[in-house]
Amino acid sequence: MTAEFGLAALWLAAALAALQLFAGALALTRKGEALGGAVRPAAVVQGLLALASFIALVIVFVQTDLSVKLVHNNSHSAKPMLYKLAGAWGNHEGSMLLWVTVMGLAGSIVALVERRLPEKTMLATLAGQAFVSLGFYAFLLFSSNPFTRMAPAPEGRGLNPLLQDPGLAFHPPTLYIGYVGLSIAFSFAIGALITREVSPAFARAMRPWVLGAWIFLTLGIVAGSYWAYYELGWGGWWFWDPVENASLMPWLAATALLHSCSVLAARNALRAWTVMLGVVAFSMSMVGTFLVRSGILTSVHAFAVDPERGSFILALLGIYIGGALTLFGLRASTVTEGERFAVVSRESALVFNNVMLSCTLGIVLVGTLYPLLAEALGQQVSIGPPYFNPFTAIFVVPMLLVMAVGPLLRWRRDEFGRVRKGLILPALAGLLVLGLAISWKPAHVLPVIGLALAPAIGIASLLPLRGRKLRQVKLPLWGMVFAHFGVALSLFGMASDSAFTSEKLVAVNVGEKVAVGPWQIGLKSIDPVAGPNWTALEAVMEARYHGGDAITLHPQSRSFWSPPQQTSESALVTRWNGQLYAVLGDESEDGRWQLRLWWKPFVPMIWFGGILIAFGGFLALLGRVASDLRRIVARNKISYRRQRQGR
Amino acid sequence: MSEAPTKGARWAMWLPLGLFAGFAALLVVGLMWPADKTVKSRFVGQPLPEFNLAAASDDRPGLSRADFVGGKPRLLNVFASWCVPCAAEAPQLEALRQAGVEIHGVALRDHKPELAAFLARNGNPFSRIGADNLSVVQVGIGSAGVPETFVIDSKGVIRHQHIGVIMADDVPKLLAKLREAEQ
């Protein structure tokens, strides 16, 4: 019953999305204005129905109702409850349902709270949102129905063991909220293009959505990167895998959009560019989803590989992105221009940052698609760090330099001489580290640049606070300081990981000792252990930092039986100055055990910095929402007073 | 403010659409003519490695590489009593045995009492069962988990790898692979 209820709710939600689209579109014409009143309620109910459908799917998974095909394919009665829950969205159909649910709920919130924009722009926005949702409803209902029944099977197949990790259970929803939050920015851009209302009010209305989406994207990428780092057992934190790039590309576009939104909101400039980024950011979410779902690119994640679904998503991409860009081509020239600014100004720095982010996005997109292009020409290639690292650095390094200076500049017009004094300290710090790093005879250029840039940016990011009373500093400024400082920390972590990591690949007997970096590690024993749905060999190791106290490590090599797969659970020791990383490999013929050991100085800074970046975004969002609320309260007070005076 | 945009600027507004059209064309090509991405074990086409496993159960002998040489092609089935899907493929293995196929089993990290109970419950289609307590054979033939089934020709060369449970409609396919291996 629950599955049928979910399916019915999904159909109803799709019907309401159709109503929302047509009422909204007709309300923009002179004859249909009366229909405008139906749009907001339709958006609210549509979101609630999608939520009801998603809850039905979760219930079906919690009950392990094996007569539902999706449950049979992705779950197993012996699985821990957390992964039964995660099974609901850890697959193609469920994640698509989650997608429309988040989109529907976001639409509901916009319909309920957004009062800043002209009503017509608002209706166009909600109609645009419904248009996008409809495509995904059609995709779900006609090609990927999550509620399809089958003859009850004896037992389910289980979730891919690599995905059985608490971090990963919440990783996809986090990214999805980010992706889908950008759909709101997309709809705002469409609405603004249709009614030609690209104004600071538009930027202010869109900004919280972009900020929210960006925070979730950042957290999602940080979590995904840490998951890949400890779960795959390769000791790396970023692989330029298509699935990773799929989340990085919308993040780059959203970062650019966030900054150009600020320019539009504060200075009424960069209008066409902001609208364009609004379209591109969500397009990148869809393109990323397409690349992951269609099986068009092979990836370590190898998700649902299905060309028919690929064609469906490609058609959606064509309609939405193609349609939006056509609209942009038709209308953008009427919204360009805006306030002018000088070459040395806050605006210029932000334009530069935007251009560099867009170029980085281009590099990542080309690198992700190049294997496809080469295949079309009859070649098989794989593209990895040797391409991505130097080419993205070409754009990222200048952007980071400008990031250090930009926040110190004034809007509209400034003199470089005014900020020069403040920059002496960060520049000195950078040069000092650069000198140290070069004298240490590095093997690679990029880590050295990163090591030098990190302290310079770290100090520079604090400079906007100088000469202010810290208590009076507004939240969005705090947000910027935290986010930029987080960038410096992450950069430091990345650079020191690639510059200073020591690695040992050894085969040892039980009882032997190995040294890696400052650590002494002894293999004590190898024991079999069993979990709820796996068995494993577990190594007991004793690690001593510089001969200090012993810390016990338990890396495992796990065998899952449903579906059968082996995974390695790495063991980590985190210290303030880095992380020890141990992986248990196979037993060799002479009875020795393969161990992979890494000492990675300061590597946790990568993710700690990432969390700070997201925290900065959160502070900015909090500040913006608070000031919006204050404005609403003030406006209500004024209108209340006027009413009383009128009496 | 709001002066008419120049011709160049107007042209630039269509640039994103042009780029997207190229991108979409590329994706269409990728979807229409997908590359062959079937993952083959790099051990297919390779001879079995040398191994000699002790008997995993009391009523069947152990297993070594020599047991695959000579006669007709055989199946090598990697399984375990703790493996739930392995029970699901038991009827298909029995069907293959009745079709005249010789099946050798490799019991992965198993214990004698559990294995005996498993075979009593699900039937015993194997002519020999080796105990692979250290995953030597499993790793040596590129098997990633249980169950997996390999077609081995009469020279001891791996000819085909079947990953996962053998379903009813896989039986004729495996028989065809065995016939193919005979040539």
Side-chain angles (χ1 to χ4, degrees):
Chain A
M1 250 334 262
T2 318
E4 282 67 32
F5 171 80
L7 188 59
L10 196 60
W11 275 104
L12 278 177
L16 274 171
L19 172 70
Q20 185 182 335
L21 170 62
F22 290 114
L26 287 174
L28 293 176
T29 65
R30 206 164 288 158
K31 279 187 183 167
E33 268 174 0
L35 283 168
V39 177
R40 285 185 196 251
V44 174
V45 178
Q46 183 222 324
L48 293 178
L49 281 168
L51 179 65
S53 178
F54 183 69
I55 290 174
L57 185 70
V58 172
I59 292 175
V60 169
F61 265 87
V62 167
Q63 292 169 339
T64 317
D65 181 350
L66 293 169
S67 68
V68 175
K69 198 173 166 194
L70 192 65
V71 179
H72 171 257
N73 286 345
N74 294 288
S75 196
H76 193 285
S77 58
K79 240 170 27 167
M81 182 52 82
L82 174 68
Y83 303 120
K84 283 187 185 177
L85 273 176
W89 58 76
N91 59 74
H92 167 79
E93 285 84 353
S95 60
M96 278 291 139
L97 182 56
L98 176 64
W99 176 291
V100 292
T101 304
V102 178
M103 228 172 122
L105 288 176
S108 308
I109 299 172
V110 171
L112 283 174
V113 305
E114 191 50 59
R115 306 278 167 200
R116 253 172 309 201
L117 291 180
E119 189 61 18
K120 286 225 160 168
T121 309
M122 207 47 238
L123 293 180
T125 301
L126 285 175
Q129 181 83 3
F131 186 47
V132 179
S133 295
L134 259 184
F136 286 93
Y137 283 123
F139 185 36
L140 271 168
L141 291 168
F142 300 128
S143 165
S144 317
N145 180 1
F147 297 107
T148 308
R149 293 269 191 191
M150 61 185 284
E155 196 39 272
R157 281 199 215 144
L159 176 72
N160 182 347
L162 274 177
L163 304 181
Q164 292 201 19
D165 176 86
L168 209 68
F170 294 100
H171 167 60
T174 311
L175 272 182
Y176 266 41
I177 293 172
Y179 284 167
V180 179
L182 289 176
S183 77
I184 303 282
F186 180 85
S187 306
F188 269 111
I190 300 292
L193 277 174
I194 289 175
T195 57
R196 294 192 177 86
E197 291 272 357
V198 182
S199 59
F202 154 79
R204 285 192 204 110
M206 182 162 86
R207 183 160 55 188
W209 292 99
V210 181
L211 257 174
W214 181 82
I215 294 166
F216 277 99
L217 274 181
T218 309
L219 287 176
I221 292 172
V222 169
S225 156
Y226 192 65
W227 168 79
Y229 169 77
Y230 77 77
E231 177 73 22
L232 296 181
W234 303 342
W237 50 273
W238 192 260
F239 303 100
W240 298 107
D241 179 87
V243 175
E244 292 175 323
N245 293 347
S247 62
L248 181 66
M249 291 189 288
W251 184 86
L252 289 168
T255 310
L257 175 59
L258 200 60
H259 291 90
S260 80
C261 252
S262 296
V263 177
L264 181 53
R267 293 276 307 139
N268 196 13
L270 300 191
R271 292 187 193 160
W273 184 246
T274 306
V275 171
M276 165 78 192
L277 283 175
V279 171
V280 168
F282 182 59
S283 300
M284 284 301 144
S285 305
M286 285 200 288
V287 166
T289 312
F290 169 80
L291 291 177
V292 178
R293 299 287 163 188
S294 63
I296 204 165
L297 291 175
T298 25
S299 142
V300 286
H301 297 62
F303 235 109
V305 175
D306 185 343
E308 186 207 329
R309 282 175 184 164
S311 315
F312 208 118
I313 309 183
L314 185 58
L316 293 184
L317 286 189
I319 294 169
Y320 295 134
I321 306 180
L325 291 176
T326 307
L327 187 64
F328 181 81
L330 288 171
R331 289 286 166 86
S333 54
T334 65
V335 301
T336 47
E337 280 302 319
E339 299 293 327
R340 306 270 175 144
F341 47 84
V343 177
V344 178
S345 64
R346 176 83 70 91
E347 287 97 322
S348 278
L350 286 168
V351 168
F352 185 81
N353 132 311
N354 264 241
V355 172
M356 292 297 119
L357 281 169
S358 307
C359 291
T360 314
L361 172 59
I363 291 289
V364 178
L365 185 62
V366 168
T368 310
L369 292 176
Y370 188 75
L372 201 61
L373 183 69
E375 217 162 69
L377 303 173
Q379 275 182 309
Q380 282 239 337
V381 290
S382 75
I383 284 202
Y387 160 83
F388 285 106
N389 289 347
F391 280 98
T392 50
I394 291 173
F395 299 104
V396 170
V397 169
M399 182 185 76
L400 291 174
L401 285 171
V402 172
M403 188 185 101
V405 184
L408 305 174
L409 294 172
R410 289 183 182 146
W411 290 110
R412 212 167 144 209
R413 175 185 296 280
D414 204 347
E415 299 292 327
F416 189 66
R418 195 183 63 80
V419 295
R420 201 162 40 195
K421 240 198 209 158
L423 290 171
I424 292 174
L425 185 63
L428 277 180
L431 288 175
L432 183 72
V433 179
L434 187 66
L436 281 176
I438 290 176
S439 67
W440 166 77
K441 291 204 181 106
H444 297 287
V445 183
L446 285 179
V448 173
I449 297 176
L451 283 176
L453 271 178
I457 297 171
I459 296 171
S461 64
L462 302 176
L463 290 179
L465 296 175
R466 209 175 48 156
R468 290 176 194 258
K469 288 193 176 129
L470 289 187
R471 284 208 179 162
Q472 286 165 14
V473 171
K474 295 222 164 87
L475 276 179
L477 179 60
W478 274 120
M480 181 187 76
V481 169
F482 270 103
H484 286 185
F485 191 74
V487 172
L489 266 190
S490 281
L491 183 66
F492 177 58
M494 294 169 195
S496 64
D497 175 49
S498 50
F500 305 125
T501 293
S502 14
E503 179 180 359
K504 268 277 166 68
L505 228 173
V506 287
V508 293
N509 286 314
V510 172
E512 264 184 82
K513 279 193 177 144
V514 197
V516 57
W519 291 85
Q520 281 283 336
I521 296 146
L523 180 60
K524 293 273 150 197
S525 65
I526 302 273
D527 308 316
V529 287
N533 56 349
W534 46 264
T535 56
L537 288 175
E538 182 178 279
V540 180
M541 300 183 192
E542 215 176 65
R544 289 172 195 275
Y545 183 80
H546 280 308
D549 289 339
I551 302 165
T552 314
L553 292 176
H554 301 275
Q556 294 176 346
S557 125
R558 275 188 196 172
S559 307
F560 288 81
W561 65 74
S562 180
Q565 189 168 358
Q566 283 198 299
T567 69
S568 55
E569 298 291 309
S570 51
L572 298 173
V573 180
T574 308
R575 277 176 55 90
W576 67 273
N577 61 347
Q579 219 165 29
L580 176 68
Y581 187 118
V583 177
L584 173 65
D586 294 321
E587 187 183 20
S588 58
E589 278 170 26
D590 53 1
R592 291 190 301 170
W593 293 89
Q594 286 178 2
L595 300 180
R596 271 182 299 161
L597 304 166
W598 284 278
W599 165 239
K600 293 171 162 291
F602 299 108
V603 74
M605 293 299 156
I606 296 174
W607 303 289
F608 185 61
I611 291 168
L612 266 193
I613 295 173
F615 179 68
F618 175 72
L619 287 184
L621 180 61
L622 210 63
R624 301 283 178 217
V625 170
S627 66
D628 282 355
L629 284 179
R630 269 200 300 275
R631 200 174 309 130
I632 291 171
V633 171
R635 199 187 300 142
N636 288 348
K637 265 188 195 160
I638 291 170
S639 60
Y640 176 69
R641 241 176 249 156
R642 277 192 192 140
Q643 262 179 3
R644 281 182 54 173
Q645 280 163 0
R647 257 186 226 162
Chain B
M1 229 193 103
S2 78
E3 61 196 62
T6 59
K7 247 188 180 172
R10 206 170 282 168
W11 177 81
M13 299 301 161
W14 291 99
L15 189 65
L17 185 64
L19 288 175
F20 174 70
F23 166 75
L26 183 60
L27 294 187
V28 169
V29 170
L31 271 183
M32 304 270 280
W33 295 278
D36 182 20
K37 293 201 181 92
T38 38
V39 182
K40 284 183 190 142
S41 162
R42 60 196 171 86
F43 293 92
V44 171
Q46 302 279 322
L48 283 174
E50 278 304 332
F51 64 89
N52 197 350
L53 299 178
S57 75
D58 292 329
D59 55 349
R60 294 286 192 279
L63 188 66
S64 73
R65 185 183 189 280
D67 299 321
F68 288 91
V69 182
K72 284 173 106 187
R74 300 172 181 81
L75 288 183
L76 188 163
N77 180 251
V78 183
F79 75 108
S81 67
W82 44 263
C83 147
V84 178
C86 292
E89 72 174 4
Q92 279 72 254
L93 284 178
E94 183 57 32
L96 283 162
R97 188 190 69 84
Q98 280 172 6
V101 181
E102 186 170 21
I103 306 171
H104 291 328
V106 169
L108 196 69
R109 292 193 203 154
D110 222 325
H111 302 289
K112 268 192 183 171
E114 281 96 340
L115 186 67
F118 178 87
L119 293 174
R121 202 166 50 239
N122 298 297
N124 188 347
F126 304 105
S127 37
R128 290 169 168 272
I129 307 176
D132 193 9
N133 292 332
L134 297 169
S135 303
V136 177
V137 173
Q138 192 199 18
V139 172
I141 58 180
S143 149
V146 279
E148 268 188 42
T149 308
F150 294 80
V151 174
I152 316 285
D153 71 13
S154 57
K155 295 191 187 76
V157 175
I158 304 173
R159 297 291 289 266
H160 175 71
Q161 177 182 22
H162 179 95
I163 297 175
V165 177
I166 302 172
M167 308 295 263
D169 46 353
D170 294 323
V171 173
K173 284 182 211 161
L174 279 173
L175 286 172
K177 289 282 178 197
L178 283 161
R179 244 174 281 127
E180 219 174 272
E182 229 166 312
Q183 270 118 51

